[in-house]
Amino acid sequence: QGLYVMHEDMAAMPSRAAGVALACALALLWGVRGTAASAAGAAKAAQSFPCRSAPWRAVCSGRGVCNGTNCTCEGARLGAFCERPMQPLSTVCEPLLRRTHATGRADDVRPDEIDIVMAIGDSMTAGYNVVNPSGVEFRGWGFSSGVEPTANTLGTFIQAYNPGLIGGAKGSRQPSQAPGQYATACPPQDFDICGLNAAVAGARVGWLTGQVDWLSQRLDALVPGKWKDEWKLLTILSGLDDIVFGPTNNATKHPPTDVSVVEAQFDAVLERLHAGFPKLLVNILALPDRLEPNVTIATASCRIFKNVTESLGIHWTDLGLWHSSVLEYNQMLVRLVQRWQAKTCTPGNCTMAVALRLPMLGTNIGLSELDTLDCFHPNLRFAEAVAIEIWNEMLEGPPQSPPGLHWQRPARCLQPQHRFTVPDPSLALLESAVLRTEIVV
């Protein structure tokens, strides 16, 4: 079942052809993974000894660094061997009373005043394979809006301070999408699972206006007559599918979507949000500039996966174009965010704040950060670290330390002075030294 939907665009392939091809892929992949059980046993045994004596790769549960006999755990993990998830912020941070007086400006919102959490994007925002490589959207664990009790997400961090948060995603679902075409953001039977996460697997930036319309409809149903008076957080991660698949999956030898087209499409999305969503905070994520394209073919299972998708008509762009396209897209996002900051948040009025967030810049992304089925989608380790970094950026701005995810950095406790940060995106990138020599503003 997992392989039948193992790629975001595969669900709509002709059933007989897809079924035969994927059944063959299933047999091959299980053969490739035949040694997984013995490796898991070794990893379990490793946790019985001080980490320095463990010869296995899974030392510190794969979620920390061994320093002598002790594990220094990643921010989302606890325990002698990093075997347990972090405690919720609601149990480790001091509670805050809601403010009684606020200016009503978007750049003066304290994150516990966010009452509605939303997300738009593609399969990464939908949480595809984030918990395990089973071809499922784990929406409740999605970095931007999941609220499962065991999750570490923006949703759970906000919910720790605002238990009445609306829009959080829970549970998991099968993806629904058609190759190169827009699909229903989330069907009615899955509304409780999706919450206000409108992401669609395979979505290009040009499809996001449809997701915005879906959010408006769902808000009218969930919070009729009230949602426009509540502060809302929207997180957007989009653009990678335009790079790795181009504007449509059905063309061969096609390049990534032209950056000028994507910029106009992003402008249309923000225009629709500005016109219809008052009291809005927007996180736009810069794309990962150190995703090694060849990692998508680094293992036998991932090569099989890619070959199967190609045989079914899902064509990937030239791997050699990915890095330069990511840099071009990120330069475009700086221009975009600067324009909209100037347009929507002035000294006289600020009902919409737009911020460029940088958690994935400067981070080397390889097999340890990606789903083992397709070597492309983030795994839980990566998604949790991204959520922590976005949350910390929302409170304190971009980190002054070297760029990239700081795996051992925990989620900050919200303090009375914290506000939703709206840094100048060009300065943030320059200070992070990620695009110091490449950015053109």
Side-chain angles (χ1 to χ4, degrees), residues 1-2 10 16 21 32 38-39 51 55 59 84 89 92 100 127 140 151 159 216 220 329 350 358 387 398 413:
Q1 181 185 35
M10 199 170 288
R16 287 184 68 111
V32 168
S38 60
C51 61
V59 66
R84 293 185 285 112
L89 292 184
V92 298
T100 56
Q159 193 178 56
S216 180
D220 284 337
Y329 277 40
C350 185
L358 316 175
C413 290

Coordinates of all heavy atoms in Angstrom, one line a residue, residues 1-2 10 16 21 32 38-39 51 55 59 84 89 92 100 127 140 151 159 216 220 329 350 358 387 398 413:
Q1 N 0.8 -1.2 0.0 CA 0.0 0.0 0.0 C 0.9 1.2 0.0 O 0.6 2.2 -0.7 CB -0.9 0.0 1.2 CG -1.8 1.2 1.3 CD -2.6 1.2 2.6 OE1 -2.1 0.9 3.6 NE2 -3.8 1.7 2.5
G2 N 2.0 1.2 0.8 CA 2.8 2.4 0.9 C 3.4 2.7 -0.5 O 3.5 3.8 -0.9
M10 N 1.9 9.7 -7.9 CA 1.7 8.4 -8.4 C 0.2 7.9 -8.3 O -0.2 7.0 -9.0 CB 2.6 7.4 -7.7 CG 2.8 6.1 -8.5 SD 4.1 5.2 -7.8 CE 5.5 6.1 -8.3
R16 N -3.8 -0.5 -13.4 CA -3.2 -1.8 -13.7 C -1.7 -1.6 -13.9 O -0.9 -2.3 -13.3 CB -3.8 -2.4 -14.9 CG -5.2 -2.9 -14.7 CD -5.7 -3.6 -16.0 NE -4.9 -4.8 -16.3 CZ -5.4 -6.0 -16.3 NH1 -6.6 -6.2 -15.9 NH2 -4.6 -7.0 -16.6
A21 N 3.8 -2.3 -11.8 CA 5.2 -1.7 -11.7 C 5.5 -1.6 -10.2 O 6.6 -1.9 -9.8 CB 5.2 -0.3 -12.3
V32 N 16.3 -5.2 -1.1 CA 17.4 -4.2 -0.7 C 17.4 -4.0 0.8 O 18.5 -3.9 1.4 CB 17.1 -2.9 -1.4 CG1 18.0 -1.8 -0.8 CG2 17.3 -3.1 -2.9
S38 N 18.6 -7.0 11.3 CA 19.8 -7.2 12.1 C 20.4 -5.8 12.5 O 21.0 -5.7 13.6 CB 20.8 -8.0 11.2 OG 21.1 -7.3 10.0
A39 N 20.3 -4.8 11.6 CA 20.8 -3.5 12.0 C 20.1 -2.9 13.1 O 20.6 -2.3 14.0 CB 20.8 -2.6 10.8
C51 N 28.0 5.4 25.3 CA 28.0 5.6 23.8 C 29.4 5.4 23.2 O 29.5 5.0 22.1 CB 27.4 6.9 23.5 SG 28.3 8.4 24.2
P55 N 29.8 0.3 18.8 CA 30.4 0.5 17.4 C 29.4 0.7 16.4 O 29.7 0.9 15.2 CB 31.0 -0.9 17.3 CG 30.1 -1.8 18.0 CD 29.6 -1.0 19.2
V59 N 24.4 5.0 17.3 CA 24.8 5.4 18.6 C 24.0 6.7 19.0 O 23.6 7.5 18.1 CB 26.3 5.7 18.7 CG1 26.7 6.9 17.8 CG2 26.7 6.0 20.1
R84 N 14.2 9.4 24.1 CA 12.9 9.9 24.4 C 12.7 11.3 23.8 O 13.7 12.1 23.6 CB 12.7 10.1 25.9 CG 12.7 8.8 26.7 CD 12.4 9.0 28.1 NE 13.5 9.5 28.9 CZ 13.6 10.7 29.4 NH1 12.6 11.5 29.3 NH2 14.7 11.1 30.1
L89 N 6.6 22.1 25.8 CA 6.9 23.4 26.4 C 6.0 23.8 27.5 O 6.4 24.5 28.4 CB 6.8 24.5 25.3 CG 7.9 24.5 24.2 CD1 7.8 25.7 23.2 CD2 9.3 24.4 24.7
V92 N 7.7 22.6 30.7 CA 9.1 23.0 31.1 C 9.2 24.5 31.1 O 10.2 25.0 31.6 CB 10.1 22.4 30.1 CG1 10.1 20.9 30.2 CG2 9.9 22.9 28.7
T100 N -3.4 42.1 28.2 CA -4.7 42.8 28.2 C -4.8 43.9 27.2 O -5.9 44.4 26.8 CB -5.1 43.2 29.6 OG1 -4.1 44.1 30.1 CG2 -5.3 42.0 30.5
G127 N 3.6 16.5 5.4 CA 4.1 15.5 6.3 C 4.3 14.2 5.6 O 4.3 13.1 6.3
G140 N -0.5 15.2 11.3 CA -0.4 15.5 12.7 C 1.1 15.8 13.2 O 1.3 16.3 14.3
A151 N 4.2 15.1 18.8 CA 4.9 15.8 17.8 C 5.6 17.0 18.4 O 5.3 17.6 19.4 CB 3.9 16.3 16.7
Q159 N 0.4 25.8 20.8 CA -0.6 25.2 21.6 C -0.2 25.1 23.1 O -1.1 25.2 23.9 CB -1.0 23.8 21.0 CG -2.2 23.2 21.6 CD -2.5 21.9 21.0 OE1 -1.7 21.0 21.0 NE2 -3.7 21.8 20.4
S216 N -10.0 29.8 3.2 CA -11.0 30.7 3.4 C -12.4 30.0 3.7 O -13.1 30.3 4.6 CB -11.1 31.7 2.3 OG -12.2 32.6 2.5
D220 N -14.5 29.8 7.2 CA -15.9 30.2 7.3 C -16.7 29.1 8.0 O -17.7 29.4 8.7 CB -16.5 30.5 5.9 CG -16.0 31.8 5.3 OD1 -15.6 32.7 6.1 OD2 -16.0 31.9 4.1
Y329 N 15.8 30.9 -6.8 CA 14.5 31.0 -6.1 C 14.7 31.8 -4.8 O 13.8 32.6 -4.4 CB 13.9 29.6 -5.8 CG 13.2 29.0 -7.0 CD1 13.6 29.1 -8.3 CD2 12.0 28.3 -6.8 CE1 12.9 28.6 -9.4 CE2 11.3 27.7 -7.8 CZ 11.8 27.8 -9.1 OH 11.1 27.3 -10.2
C350 N -0.4 48.1 10.0 CA 0.4 46.8 9.9 C -0.6 45.6 10.3 O -0.6 45.2 11.4 CB 1.6 46.8 10.8 SG 2.6 45.3 10.5
L358 N 14.8 31.0 7.7 CA 16.0 30.4 7.1 C 16.5 29.1 7.7 O 17.6 28.7 7.6 CB 17.1 31.4 7.3 CG 16.8 32.9 7.1 CD1 18.0 33.7 7.4 CD2 16.4 33.1 5.6
A387 N 11.2 22.7 12.7 CA 10.1 23.3 13.5 C 10.7 24.1 14.7 O 10.3 25.3 14.9 CB 9.2 22.3 14.0
P398 N 16.7 35.7 13.1 CA 17.7 34.7 12.6 C 18.9 34.5 13.6 O 19.3 35.5 14.3 CB 18.2 35.3 11.3 CG 17.1 36.3 10.9 CD 16.6 36.8 12.2
C413 N 11.7 29.0 25.4 CA 10.5 29.3 26.1 C 10.1 30.7 25.7 O 10.9 31.6 25.6 CB 10.7 29.2 27.6 SG 10.9 27.5 28.2

